[in-house]
Amino acid sequence: MNEVERTSGPLAGSLVEQFEYGLDAPICLTWELTYACNLSCAHCLSSSGRRDPRELTTAQCEGVIDELQRMQVFYVNVGGGEPTIRPDFWHLLDYAVGHSVGVKFSTNGVRITPERARFLASTDYVDVQVSLDGATPEVNDQVRGAGSFRTAVTALENLAEAGFTDTKISVVMTRTNIPQLDDFQALADRYGATLRLTRLRPSGRGADVWDELHPLPNQQRQLYDWLREHGERVLTGDSFFHLAGFGESLPGLNLCGAGRVVCLIDPVGDVYACPFAIHETFRAGNLLTDGGFAAVWRTSPLFADLRSPQTGGACTKCSHFDACRGGCMAAKFFTGLPLDGPDPECVQGYGETALAGERTVPSPSQDHSRRTPTRNQPVLLQLSRREEQPWSPAAPPVSACAEHPLAGFTPTA
């Protein structure tokens, strides 16, 4: 073993058994480079919008990449916020690729100009995910903001024209866009892209709109059947293993990977067990104060606890437990359900019963949402802010960096 001993677990056995006890390095590391964002998506899991002035410096980010190279992390999934509006983004992408760490970054497309698209097409070990939450402007812009569909499609066009191969179209599934599954696939085919579907989680601003947006039970079945038919061409990661309760497992991990094979680094260096659980409860440490990322990954008490297979709780008594593994930790936590209980969207109906009982929904531990409305804010946010005072240019923001994602920077193309 390297610097720190492996968490106790089987060195042999099935791949899932080894995953359950954790690996020496994550196979999917998400790194939120900044909370700054030009959009204010209604379901943003990190409540992004404002830049955190404490975010890691360029040199500190380079140090993280050096450590990931030593740990032999194959690639890092970079997000935000909108990572491309961080001024050193393109430098850090070059630095990572030059140090044998591949980069898969998620973007709303705002900085994918024809010139940048040509640069990306000429660069090895880079993957691009363009976020869309509707196959039409009417559906997408309700959640992501006015004009966001056009921005994303322009990015897809620029990438295709530049010869970038296999762009990913990343979609968060909601009750408004599940009827568009075939349309999403057609959109991906049009641009030579691959469709990537993820689950809506009630974290960040997603907690505010979860009741309005999470798929209805009949839509869960529709999604399951569609994935059973088209899953060979669609990426899902570990998003929909809760649907395995319908019968056969879907392609993917079919296991909660939190702290086992996945985790998240946030813009200030805090390490969380899961990209969908940015909350103090799931904070494993900080790479600046706790000896670096490897030390946090390999010695965190939280991660050690998560790497102990679940042996109790209501779900383990269910005949479907071996298939769905109890569902999503983040979905349970942010709806106030016990972590050893059913997923709120349990397809056998146990989640609905649990939600009807007494529960305490946790408050968010951080919020980087902009405090004043923006011209392109989502319809759902407009509805939720009906009682707020209208914005006025005469009312100055608390500070520049509190209200503008690019405060203090001179953005470049």
Side-chain angles (χ1 to χ4, degrees):
M1 292 296 125
N2 297 332
E3 309 149 35
V4 184
E5 286 298 313
R6 173 195 176 98
T7 301
S8 177
L11 297 177
S14 72
L15 195 58
V16 170
E17 287 175 329
Q18 293 183 56
F19 282 177
E20 201 163 26
Y21 282 95
L23 304 177
D24 279 344
I27 59 173
C28 182
L29 168 65
T30 297
W31 186 359
E32 310 284 30
L33 276 181
T34 182
Y35 286 129
C37 192
N38 57 304
L39 299 182
S40 298
C41 299
H43 57 12
C44 180
L45 62 91
S46 59
S47 298
S48 290
R50 293 176 292 145
R51 181 180 66 88
D52 192 315
R54 302 169 299 155
E55 68 184 31
L56 299 177
T57 66
T58 301
Q60 289 169 332
C61 289
E62 290 174 349
V64 174
I65 293 168
D66 292 341
E67 188 167 20
L68 298 180
Q69 181 185 25
R70 291 193 295 271
M71 293 176 72
Q72 297 182 320
V73 173
F74 180 65
Y75 81 90
V76 59
N77 186 12
V78 173
E82 171 54 41
T84 65
I85 65 175
R86 181 171 160 140
D88 60 359
F89 171 78
W90 302 104
H91 164 75
L92 292 174
L93 184 149
D94 267 339
Y95 190 89
V97 170
H99 288 73
S100 303
V101 178
V103 175
K104 176 186 291 185
F105 72 91
S106 299
T107 177
N108 57 47
V110 67
R111 287 292 174 79
I112 308 300
T113 62
E115 294 76 20
R116 289 299 185 189
R118 288 192 289 270
F119 164 76
L120 290 167
S122 68
T123 306
D124 292 330
Y125 306 115
V126 174
D127 202 6
V128 183
Q129 294 184 162
V130 178
S131 296
L132 268 177
D133 291 324
T136 57
E138 293 76 18
V139 174
N140 179 83
D141 292 5
Q142 182 188 36
V143 175
R144 302 187 64 84
S148 57
F149 182 86
R150 181 67 257 170
T151 298
V153 169
T154 298
L156 291 170
E157 292 171 347
N158 290 340
L159 289 164
E161 290 174 6
F164 188 92
T165 58
D166 200 23
T167 303
K168 308 301 185 294
I169 297 178
S170 184
V171 183
V172 177
M173 300 311 304
T174 67
R175 70 179 60 171
T176 59
N177 66 23
I178 279 184
Q180 296 185 315
L181 282 165
D182 289 336
D183 297 324
F184 280 122
Q185 186 60 67
L187 196 64
D189 293 343
R190 184 183 312 161
Y191 294 107
T194 297
L195 193 58
R196 178 180 181 268
L197 305 182
T198 61
R199 182 182 177 186
L200 174 71
R201 264 80 167 194
S203 54
R205 287 196 295 268
D208 298 327
V209 298
W210 192 74
D211 288 337
E212 299 171 69
L213 286 183
H214 78 89
L216 299 170
N218 65 308
Q219 292 180 316
Q220 299 277 7
R221 182 73 206 206
Q222 179 184 352
L223 175 61
Y224 173 78
D225 290 341
W226 193 89
L227 287 172
R228 290 285 301 159
E229 183 177 351
H230 300 85
E232 296 291 328
R233 302 174 60 197
V234 179
L235 301 176
T236 61
D238 63 353
S239 286
F240 302 111
F241 61 94
H242 71 294
L243 298 180
F246 279 128
E248 296 183 48
S249 296
L250 296 167
L253 182 58
N254 281 296
L255 170 75
C256 175
R260 294 169 168 138
V261 296
V262 304
C263 71
L264 174 135
I265 300 173
D266 85 346
V268 301
D270 285 333
V271 181
Y272 293 89
C274 171
F276 307 108
I278 305 175
H279 190 277
E280 188 62 29
T281 302
F282 301 105
R283 180 182 175 276
N286 182 281
L287 53 83
L288 297 180
T289 60
D290 295 320
F293 175 72
V296 175
W297 175 258
R298 294 171 180 164
T299 66
S300 162
L302 171 66
F303 286 172
D305 183 55
L306 291 172
R307 291 164 189 169
S308 300
Q310 184 176 332
T311 57
C315 275
T316 57
K317 301 177 179 65
C318 176
S319 60
H320 298 277
F321 177 74
D322 287 342
C324 75
R325 311 300 294 179
C328 173
M329 176 186 76
K332 298 179 197 183
F333 177 79
F334 287 109
T335 51
L337 298 182
L339 298 186
D340 60 1
D343 187 292
E345 294 181 295
C346 169
V347 299
Q348 295 300 315
Y350 298 119
E352 185 177 354
T353 302
L355 289 172
E358 290 188 14
R359 54 196 173 94
T360 301
V361 177
S363 300
S365 59
Q366 55 182 303
D367 189 347
H368 293 87
S369 303
R370 292 196 289 277
R371 294 190 180 95
T372 55
T374 60
R375 285 182 295 178
N376 69 340
Q377 73 179 54
V379 173
L380 288 173
L381 285 187
Q382 291 174 343
L383 293 175
S384 69
R385 290 177 175 172
R386 281 177 297 182
E387 298 181 2
E388 291 187 6
Q389 295 298 316
W391 176 80
S392 168
V398 175
S399 65
C401 70
E403 296 304 326
H404 196 287
L406 297 179
F409 294 133
T410 301
T412 56

